[in-house]
Every structure is written in C-alpha cells, then in structure tokens.
C-alpha cells in the first residue's frame, strides 16, 4: 500500500515528548471536555440512584403483598421457597418493567416533541 506524498509527512513532530499538549494528540483521538464527562457521570449516577430507590419501593411492595396474601390464607404464599423467590425476584422484575415503561414514555415524549 503506497502512501501519497501529501500524507507522508502529516504526522511529523506530533509524538515528541517536548511538544505542546495539543500536538500530543494522536491521529483519530478526540478530546472530551470536562462538561461532557461530568454530564455522563451525572447521568449514570442518577440512573443508579433512581434504580436503587425503585428497588427499595418494589421490595416494600412485594413484602407487603406477601404478608397480605399469607394472612389471607393463600396456601402457596406460605411456602418458604416460593415466598423467598418472590421476595428476591419480584422487585427486580418490577424494576425491569418500570424501566421499560420509562423508556416507552420517553419515546412518546420525543415523538411528540418532534412533531
């Protein structure tokens, strides 16, 4: 593969250790401003906080439901294995359903804003 004369010297003096920081960037590399980086971290952190809050509420809802059903005399809620499975799997399943609903609402909102 031959390199044209115009492209042959395009990388000269960019990898010297004594060159300024703007010359130290490699070909194809992009710099990320601090505001973009902080925005991404803030988005991730808010997603984690929202998920933890929803898991807490879902856990309380599932535990209250299990207590109510076992007090009402529903037989298979009194089984220890079933109730433990529902206690640990129920909040996660509800969280997945809630995130799917949030994504759908966000889709509807964006479609409505677009026109």
């Amino acid at each position: 593969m031959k390199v044209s004369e115009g492209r042959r010297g395009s990388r000269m003096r960019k990898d010297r250790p004594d060159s300024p920081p703007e010359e130290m960037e490699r070909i194809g590399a992009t710099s990320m401003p601090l505001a973009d980086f902080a925005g991404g971290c803030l988005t991730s952190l808010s997603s984690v906080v929202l998920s933890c809050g929803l898991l807490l509420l879902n856990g309380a809802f599932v535990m209250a439901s299990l207590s109510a059903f076992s007090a009402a005399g529903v037989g298979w809620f009194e089984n220890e294995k079933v109730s433990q499975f529902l206690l640990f799997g129920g909040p996660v399943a509800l969280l997945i359903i809630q995130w799917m609903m949030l994504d759908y609402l966000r889709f509807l909102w964006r479609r409505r804003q677009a026109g």
Side-chain angles (χ1 to χ4, degrees):
M1 182 167 133
K2 278 192 132 190
V3 177
S4 67
E5 288 294 323
R7 291 189 52 114
R8 193 174 285 173
S10 66
R11 209 167 160 195
M12 288 177 35
R13 300 180 193 253
K14 288 198 178 203
D15 50 358
R16 288 189 332 209
D18 60 339
S19 62
E22 56 268 8
E23 288 184 0
M24 291 293 288
E25 293 185 39
R26 301 284 182 202
I27 294 175
T30 58
S31 62
M32 180 183 285
L34 183 60
D36 290 344
F37 181 72
C41 288
L42 184 63
T43 302
S44 298
L45 184 64
S46 64
S47 175
V48 167
V49 167
L50 180 64
S51 294
C52 288
L54 287 174
L55 275 174
L56 184 68
L57 291 173
N58 293 344
F61 174 73
V62 168
M63 186 170 288
S65 299
L66 285 175
S67 297
F69 282 127
S70 64
V74 179
W76 59 279
F77 280 107
E78 293 175 1
N79 186 353
E80 189 175 307
K81 291 178 183 178
V82 172
S83 63
Q84 188 175 15
F85 174 74
L86 290 175
L87 187 62
F88 288 108
V92 176
L94 285 173
L95 180 69
I96 292 170
I97 292 169
Q98 288 164 343
W99 273 112
M100 289 172 63
M101 289 187 327
L102 286 172
D103 286 339
Y104 184 69
L105 288 174
R106 192 177 64 173
F107 166 74
L108 288 177
W109 178 262
R110 285 186 180 176
R111 190 172 71 174
R112 187 177 188 194
Q113 293 293 326

